[in-house]
């Protein structure tokens, strides 16, 4: 399985990428910072300066139904914020 799952394309991350050259990715929860750095450099052909990661636990929910209490949860996530060397950019919208 690959380390990078998908890029985070939100208003906040787009502003961050334009102002500070930072890009966000959802990554494999078992990946470390070195693996994330190598994957971004290999995939997008840029030089990575710094990697910051965040682990998000699952959100647990329960509801009351006719058959009793139903329990469920969302998946756990890991996000990575990647600082790219000045002058390099990642174009998520290019049609290659």
């Amino acid at each position: 399985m690959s380390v990078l799952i998908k890029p985070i394309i939100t208003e906040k991350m787009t502003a961050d990428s334009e102002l500070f050259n930072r890009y966000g990715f959802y990554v494999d929860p078992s990946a470390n910072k070195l693996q994330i750095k190598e994957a971004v450099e290999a995939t997008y052909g840029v030089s990575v300066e710094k990697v910051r990661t965040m682990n998000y636990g699952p959100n647990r929910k329960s509801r009351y139904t006719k058959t009793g209490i139903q329990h469920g949860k969302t998946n756990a996530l890991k996000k990575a914020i990647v600082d790219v060397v000045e002058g390099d950019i990642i174009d998520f919208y290019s049609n290659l």
Side-chain angles (χ1 to χ4, degrees), residues 17-82:
S17 66
E18 292 170 356
L19 296 174
F20 304 112
N21 235 11
R22 293 182 194 142
Y23 299 91
F25 296 94
Y26 288 114
V27 295
D28 184 36
S30 63
N32 61 26
K33 291 182 180 185
L34 292 175
Q35 292 172 336
I36 295 167
K37 178 181 178 178
E38 291 169 1
V40 170
E41 287 177 346
T43 306
Y44 295 103
V46 295
S47 299
V48 174
E49 223 177 271
K50 185 178 185 181
V51 177
R52 288 171 283 175
T53 59
M54 298 168 260
N55 280 310
Y56 288 95
N59 292 330
R60 299 181 191 284
K61 295 180 181 180
S62 61
R63 65 178 176 209
Y64 299 98
T65 63
K66 191 170 23 174
T67 59
I69 299 175
Q70 300 293 318
H71 298 286
K73 67 178 181 65
T74 61
N75 292 333
L77 295 173
K78 186 171 191 175
K79 291 182 185 179
I81 307 299
V82 177

